[in-house]
């Protein structure tokens, strides 16, 4: 069976806006050190820089890096196959090969693409971009080991100081440049260390790695080609599910009023009693096949509208049900504030 990945419009909880607070609050939890560490790694805070590589058409390609001190050694760029700039930067003579590679890459699931030790594949787009630190032009490639879900979906490849980039550059015969001199005797590339100094990096030669990272970022920011940035591995929580079971997402779509929440007095939205509840190959929720439930008047203007047919992740409704335990004596609200304050939270497990 051939698997096809599709882009869908979905609903998310915007938890990334609270990433720093979530990280800080780990210190207040009565959890084991190992669990707190695991959660901190899941949030995945990293400090780095967003740098701009520009094409001959002056199109900026932003990249995020945790090692801005290595930018003088960036010898090529790699975009994720699904990056929105791929079509724009691909040269006419490379379009067929790039198109074939993209179709093949998008048939792979993300987990497979994350496997670090598999053989690297990629295709040259036919375009070059300017390294913001050196002014040199570097080739722009696409490769499926770069993912849109982290950073900007584009990386500056520094094969002298990154194992994946080194493997890729070696396979495709791309240039490799050393820009960090390690403190020890290690000289075999790739050299991956913070314990070293900048080399072959112009006026920054001799600076310790961390000092060079800060200085280079500030220098590029002054030219409008970079900025300091904090990145998190944490993603927004997608709660959309294209199936029948689960709490319906209380949204109505109107061609005139656009996205309209279901009025509070009409909550909860109940699932209809139907027999054909199995998903089909369309990827659309089975609820969309039931016109009587699907088509409703817009709560704002009264014109013909349609319900959101995605339902929410079942974990969503099971994550708060313990709050209901002290408040089962009524059905006009989910839980009583006074009772909840009296009995919850549970102090320990």
């Amino acid at each position: 069976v051939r698997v096809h990945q599709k882009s869908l419009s979905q609903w998310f909880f915007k938890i990334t806006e609270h990433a720093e607070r979530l990280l800080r609050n780990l210190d207040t939890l009565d959890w084991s050190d190992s669990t707190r560490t695991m959660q901190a790694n899941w949030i995945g805070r990293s400090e780095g820089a967003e740098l701009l590589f520009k094409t001959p058409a002056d199109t900026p390609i932003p990249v995020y890096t945790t090692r801005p001190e290595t930018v003088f050694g960036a010898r090529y760029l790699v975009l994720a196959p699904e990056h929105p700039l791929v079509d724009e930067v691909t040269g006419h003579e490379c379009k067929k090969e790039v198109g074939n590679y993209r179709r093949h890459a998008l048939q792979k699931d993300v987990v497979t693409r994350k496997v670090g030790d598999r053989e690297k594949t990629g295709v040259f787009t036919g375009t070059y971009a300017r390294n913001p630190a050196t002014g040199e032009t570097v080739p722009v490639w696409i490769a499926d080991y770069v993912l849109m879900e982290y950073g900007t979906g584009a990386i500056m490849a520094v094969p002298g100081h990154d194992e994946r980039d080194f493997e890729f550059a070696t396979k495709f015969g791309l240039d490799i440049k050393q820009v960090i001199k390690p403190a020890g005797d290690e000289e075999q590339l790739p050299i991956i260390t913070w314990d070293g100094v900048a080399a072959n990096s112009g006026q920054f030669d001799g600076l310790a790695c961390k000092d060079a990272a800060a200085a280079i970022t500030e220098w590029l920011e002054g030219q409008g080609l970079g900025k300091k940035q904090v990145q998190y591995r944490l993603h927004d929580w997608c709660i959309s599910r294209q199936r029948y079971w689960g709490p319906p997402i209380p949204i109505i779509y109107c061609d005139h009023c656009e996205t309209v929440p279901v009025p509070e007095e009409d909550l909860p939205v109940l699932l209809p009693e139907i027999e054909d509840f199995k998903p089909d190959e369309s990827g659309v929720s089975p609820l969309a096949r039931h016109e009587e439930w699907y088509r409703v008047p817009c709560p704002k203007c009264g014109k013909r509208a349609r319900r959101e047919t995605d339902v929410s992740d079942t974990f969503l409704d099971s994550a708060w049900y313990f709050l209901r335990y002290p408040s089962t004596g009524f059905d006009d609200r989910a839980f009583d504030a006074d009772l909840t304050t009296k009995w919850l939270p549970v102090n320990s497990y």
Side-chain angles (χ1 to χ4, degrees):
V1 177
R2 179 171 293 181
V3 176
H4 295 276
Q5 297 189 65
K6 293 184 177 182
S7 295
L8 301 173
S9 295
Q10 298 184 302
W11 289 91
F12 294 79
F13 277 169
K14 207 168 186 179
I15 57 175
T16 51
E17 285 197 354
H18 311 287
E20 190 64 34
R21 179 184 171 195
L22 289 168
L23 190 61
R24 290 197 310 267
N25 284 354
L26 289 176
D27 294 335
T28 68
L29 297 178
D30 184 21
W31 290 356
S32 67
D33 289 341
S34 61
T35 301
R36 282 198 301 270
T37 299
M38 181 174 64
Q39 289 295 308
N41 291 339
W42 181 263
I43 295 169
R45 187 184 194 274
S46 64
E47 294 185 6
E50 183 177 279
L51 308 180
L52 296 181
F53 288 67
K54 293 188 177 182
T55 69
D58 213 33
T59 299
I61 302 177
V63 303
Y64 173 74
T65 176
T66 58
R67 302 296 302 267
E69 79 281 10
T70 66
V71 64
F72 282 83
R75 309 312 293 158
Y76 58 98
L77 293 185
V78 187
L79 309 185
E82 57 271 47
H83 195 287
L85 287 178
V86 171
D87 286 334
E88 180 180 340
V89 304
T90 299
H92 179 73
E93 69 282 1
C94 298
K95 284 191 179 297
K96 182 176 180 181
E97 189 176 7
V98 168
N100 289 338
Y101 184 85
R102 293 180 84 186
R103 283 190 292 273
H104 180 71
L106 295 177
Q107 290 175 3
K108 298 179 182 178
D109 63 87
V110 173
V111 175
T112 299
R113 289 171 58 182
K114 284 182 177 179
V115 176
D117 58 356
R118 65 185 180 86
E119 184 180 4
K120 299 295 181 290
T121 63
V123 175
F124 177 46
T125 66
T127 293
Y128 293 79
R130 188 169 58 253
N131 183 317
T134 66
E136 300 172 304
T137 56
V138 297
V140 180
W141 287 64
I142 65 170
D144 64 5
Y145 75 89
V146 178
L147 304 171
M148 279 303 300
E149 67 175 35
Y150 183 73
T152 65
I155 65 166
M156 67 174 201
V158 185
H161 305 285
D162 182 274
E163 291 180 353
R164 293 186 313 171
D165 298 342
F166 181 82
E167 181 183 343
F168 192 92
T170 302
K171 177 176 179 178
F172 291 105
L174 300 171
D175 190 26
I176 299 174
K177 179 181 179 181
Q178 180 179 345
V179 292
I180 293 176
K181 182 175 176 57
D185 298 329
E186 182 186 2
E187 291 292 343
Q188 183 175 353
L189 297 179
I191 297 171
I192 304 168
T193 180
W194 273 103
D195 189 18
V197 297
N200 298 316
S201 299
Q203 68 267 39
F204 304 101
D205 282 1
L207 287 179
C209 282
K210 291 187 177 180
D211 294 335
I216 290 173
T217 300
E218 184 178 359
W219 174 61
L220 290 176
E221 188 167 7
Q223 303 175 64
L225 295 172
K227 61 181 179 180
K228 185 177 180 181
Q229 185 161 306
V230 174
Q231 188 82 29
Y232 300 92
R233 185 175 291 110
L234 182 71
H235 294 290
D236 288 332
W237 178 14
C238 175
I239 63 167
S240 288
R241 299 293 181 268
Q242 294 75 44
R243 58 195 183 201
Y244 169 72
W245 60 95
I249 295 173
I251 292 292
I252 292 172
Y253 299 104
C254 174
D255 292 337
H256 303 276
C257 305
E258 298 182 346
T259 303
V260 183
V262 172
E264 186 170 348
E265 61 268 21
D266 294 336
L267 295 176
V269 177
L270 300 177
L271 291 169
E273 294 288 342
I274 60 177
E275 294 183 3
D276 56 332
F277 52 79
K278 293 182 179 179
D280 58 23
E281 294 180 356
S282 69
V284 176
S285 168
L287 291 170
R289 299 195 296 262
H290 293 271
E291 291 286 315
E292 187 176 334
W293 183 86
Y294 179 50
R295 302 290 179 184
V296 292
C298 172
K300 278 190 175 181
C301 69
K303 294 183 178 179
R304 187 174 172 85
R306 61 195 183 280
R307 291 189 187 276
E308 169 63 73
T309 59
D310 280 2
V311 297
S312 60
D313 182 356
T314 49
F315 183 78
L316 178 62
D317 57 306
S318 66
W320 64 271
Y321 69 88
F322 69 97
L323 296 171
R324 175 71 173 172
Y325 286 156
S327 302
T328 58
F330 45 80
D331 58 11
D332 60 335
R333 57 200 182 279
F335 32 82
D336 179 83
D338 292 336
L339 287 171
T340 302
T341 302
K342 177 180 179 180
W343 292 104
L344 297 171
V346 177
N347 294 328
S348 62
Y349 290 92

